[in-house]
Amino acid sequence: MKIAFSAPAEPNSGVLVVGVLADRKLTDSAKALDKRMKGALVRAVKGGRFKGARDQSLALPAPAGTKLDLVLVVGLGKAAELDAGRLQALGGGIYAALAGRGPGAAAVAVDGLAGCKLTPAGMAAEIAFGARLRSYRFDKYRTKVPKDEKPSLKTLTFHCDGPGKARNAFAAMNKVADGVFFTRDLVSEPANILYPETLAQEAKSLSKLGIKVEVLDERRMRRLGMGALLGVGQGSTRPPRLVVMQWQGAPKKKAAKGKGAKRADGPIAFVGKGVTFDTGGISLKPSGGMEDMKWDMGGSGVVIGLMKALAGRKAKVNAVGIVGLVENMPSGNAQRPGDIVTSMSGQTIEVLNTDAEGRLVLADALWYCKDRFKPRFMVDLATLTGAIIISLGKEYAGLFSNDDDLSGNLLAAGEAVGEKLWRMPLADGYDKMLKCDAADMKNISGGRDAGATTAAQFLQRFVDKTPWAHLDIAGVTWSKADKPTVPKGGTGFGVRLLDRLVADHYEEK
Ligand code: BES
Ligand code: MN
Ligand code: ZN
């Protein structure tokens, strides 16, 4: 979809969207239009349940007194409550209302509103961002979609004061949306198409944005001693990969190297679980719903989409993205329950359940990350446990961390973009549940208690003293229902959150 910004105008053809505030208070554009419609707009607004509340809208086809084909009146709620998130939701709602109606273009009138903290240009950019986020579709494998089922809307033009400013603000948001779309694409691809090698190729495509991308193959990982990750992949005919992406966007300083180098000079780092399909391995999952496990690479999808967003908007930060890519399959060569593997850290693990594989992948990816890059912090993302869905459902992702500052920043970023996190505990008592007679630890606790937390405790054994946070995104990576800015399917949850974290706290000004 094409998005454009231009000066305030009173279009007299096509589709026009105008806003009405709470208690049926007309915006200036709505008033001007009502005049052209000889009072019919006010009558329509007063004639029913439409009160101008958020989420309410009213479609008025071919209004007399104008040459317009359609007027869409959208409720704005109270001006003082209109923040970025609500404006984005409004944009998503406008897109959803118009996309399948037939018109190829629409104009949206954005007025300055007393009491609203945003300028008209700022508002227009946020509404546009929401519309773009909602416009995502994954239909590349549907070869016979009837024309009438495809979105008709191709262009949205926003009329506001300061269109140049709106265009600038939207440009950066649009790069973030590109990152979100990339993540949604990756998460939506089936596992016969997207497997470790092809996912690594997708990551490789980011090099055209100036990201340095290295792909480590099995031999390299073997030499590094990544026995935990390799054990998960050994049952599959698809060989594993580890991808390292580096974005160097911070202004160059005299680098402190060697002895003077501190963690504060290091990059920030993001690490993703990339299990391209999780059958459970020999601890085979039940077949019902197993198809969902194509999106068990969701954490890696977010890391790759985030790198795309950061590079796309040229973020002034040095960031590393690492994804561990494996397919978890049962076969004659698969890892068995009871196998003991040695991780890159030297710690040994008894694999009592081959379905608790994400933590094994992350164990080596996290260790490698902190060992090689000495990052300021690491945030990992993983569709790690069903237990987090039992705890938090699909509203919040689980946050586990050894660092209160990092946690606070993540929680705030999540609130700001509407990708909400809930902090869960870590404690010695949980760590003890991983004690093992045969090796340094086992990969499951054995019971059902605190399943998301014991998984996080396992990860913590591979981060050393690095400030670290783990986001368990099992409940939020895929949505079965449309949301204002997120159509059903792969959500891209995490890209906007982490982009915001970077923008608010870790970018040099
Ligand atoms: N990928 C799954 C977790 C998952 C479940 C993600 C449902 C999304 C939706 C993970 O690898 C897994 O199988 N976890 C097990 C751990 C258990 C064996 C300790 C689980 O949650 O059941
Ligand atoms: Mn599993
Ligand atoms: Zn898994």
Side-chain angles (χ1 to χ4, degrees):
M1 186 178 50
K2 186 174 173 285
I3 286 176
F5 299 91
S6 79
E10 291 187 17
N12 199 25
S13 64
V15 178
L16 177 59
V17 182
V18 295
V20 168
L21 289 151
D23 301 321
R24 301 188 173 94
K25 192 166 172 280
L26 269 55
T27 56
D28 292 343
S29 303
K31 277 183 201 155
L33 180 59
D34 181 57
K35 235 182 219 151
R36 282 157 63 194
M37 289 169 62
K38 307 208 170 28
L41 192 144
V42 168
R43 263 193 294 134
V45 161
K46 291 201 168 146
R49 289 189 177 167
F50 180 91
K51 291 194 182 74
R54 273 185 287 128
D55 308 335
Q56 284 190 312
S57 68
L58 212 56
L60 312 175
T66 77
K67 296 216 158 61
L68 293 164
D69 297 328
L70 176 74
V71 166
L72 181 71
V73 184
V74 292
L76 304 174
K78 295 193 174 116
E81 291 172 1
L82 265 182
D83 57 12
R86 291 188 172 162
L87 289 160
Q88 290 161 19
L90 176 70
I94 291 170
Y95 179 82
L98 296 178
R101 259 190 103 95
V108 182
V110 182
D111 302 86
L113 297 176
C116 175
K117 286 193 189 71
L118 287 95
T119 61
M123 291 168 68
E126 297 289 357
I127 300 169
F129 185 38
R132 167 98 206 278
L133 287 170
R134 181 62 182 270
S135 73
Y136 178 79
R137 273 170 80 88
F138 186 82
D139 55 5
K140 64 191 268 200
Y141 297 113
R142 297 186 58 190
T143 62
K144 296 186 172 67
V145 186
K147 202 162 170 281
D148 276 1
E149 280 178 34
K150 286 192 186 157
S152 55
L153 193 65
K154 297 283 179 302
T155 311
L156 262 183
T157 303
F158 293 84
H159 293 280
C160 65
D161 282 330
K165 283 200 181 119
R167 211 169 290 131
N168 277 341
F170 178 70
M173 295 175 186
N174 207 20
K175 295 297 182 184
V176 177
D178 289 343
V180 172
F181 280 26
F182 194 29
T183 301
R184 289 176 181 170
D185 280 343
L186 296 175
V187 163
S188 305
E189 287 286 356
N192 61 327
I193 306 291
L194 201 77
Y195 44 92
E197 289 158 288
T198 52
L199 184 46
Q201 274 169 23
E202 293 290 338
K204 202 87 225 213
S205 76
L206 297 182
S207 45
K208 62 178 180 287
L209 297 177
I211 295 175
K212 186 176 157 205
V213 186
E214 299 160 73
V215 180
L216 279 61
D217 65 7
E218 208 168 343
R219 249 183 69 224
R220 286 276 296 283
M221 288 189 269
R222 177 92 42 219
R223 269 197 246 125
L224 287 162
M226 296 187 170
L229 184 152
L230 291 171
V232 176
Q234 78 186 30
S236 172
T237 55
R238 312 286 200 190
R241 292 288 183 268
L242 188 98
V243 181
V244 181
M245 295 159 275
Q246 295 182 66
W247 167 247
Q248 301 272 349
K252 291 241 163 25
K253 283 191 242 164
K254 265 188 249 151
K257 282 238 170 87
K259 266 196 175 166
K262 282 190 240 81
R263 182 175 291 138
D265 304 318
I268 60 175
F270 304 94
V271 179
K273 167 179 172 180
V275 176
T276 57
F277 197 79
D278 181 13
T279 64
I282 296 298
S283 311
L284 193 63
K285 286 181 181 297
S287 56
M290 202 200 274
E291 65 278 10
D292 283 353
M293 288 300 106
K294 75 170 183 183
W295 47 263
D296 207 22
M297 37 55 68
S300 69
V302 173
V303 171
I304 295 168
L306 173 68
M307 295 304 287
K308 177 166 185 163
L310 293 177
R313 68 174 184 79
K314 299 199 162 48
K316 293 190 177 60
V317 69
N318 293 336
V320 174
I322 295 183
V323 292
L325 311 178
V326 297
E327 187 180 51
N328 189 20
M329 295 289 269
S331 80
N333 198 43
Q335 170 155 267
R336 293 147 292 253
D339 282 6
I340 296 178
V341 295
T342 303
S343 66
M344 184 183 172
S345 72
Q347 300 176 93
T348 56
I349 305 158
E350 187 182 19
V351 180
L352 290 177
N353 188 322
T354 63
D355 196 12
E357 85 297 341
R359 62 198 77 183
L360 297 168
V361 173
L362 286 175
D364 281 334
L366 285 165
W367 187 270
Y368 176 81
C369 179
K370 70 114 206 160
D371 210 45
R372 174 170 170 193
F373 291 104
K374 302 182 177 49
R376 280 176 75 180
F377 68 72
M378 298 192 283
V379 175
D380 78 71
L381 300 105
T383 49
L384 202 62
T385 67
I388 199 68
I389 311 176
I390 305 298
S391 303
L392 300 175
K394 297 180 159 101
E395 290 297 312
Y396 284 76
L399 160 66
F400 301 84
S401 179
N402 61 4
D403 190 280
D404 291 343
D405 291 334
L406 178 58
S407 290
N409 292 344
L410 281 163
L411 289 166
E415 286 296 329
V417 305
E419 294 179 346
K420 291 182 288 183
L421 302 174
W422 194 263
R423 190 164 180 190
M424 306 280 285
L426 291 167
D428 272 350
Y430 296 119
D431 182 72
K432 291 204 176 73
M433 292 161 78
L434 300 171
K435 268 197 172 166
C436 174
D437 292 333
D440 297 337
M441 70 195 86
K442 48 190 181 182
N443 77 327
I444 53 165
S445 72
R448 282 154 41 103
D449 292 5
T453 301
T454 49
Q457 291 292 164
F458 184 95
L459 299 181
Q460 191 174 13
R461 291 181 176 219
F462 298 88
V463 304
D464 221 358
K465 305 223 158 40
T466 312
W468 152 79
H470 156 59
L471 309 184
D472 193 334
I473 56 172
V476 295
T477 294
W478 192 267
S479 170
K480 293 210 160 96
D482 289 333
K483 312 247 178 65
T485 57
V486 185
K488 67 182 173 201
T491 62
F493 183 109
V495 175
R496 296 183 54 206
L497 166 78
L498 296 174
D499 176 74
R500 185 63 177 254
L501 175 83
V502 172
D504 284 355
H505 298 284
Y506 300 98
E507 260 183 87
E508 296 180 29
K509 293 284 156 10

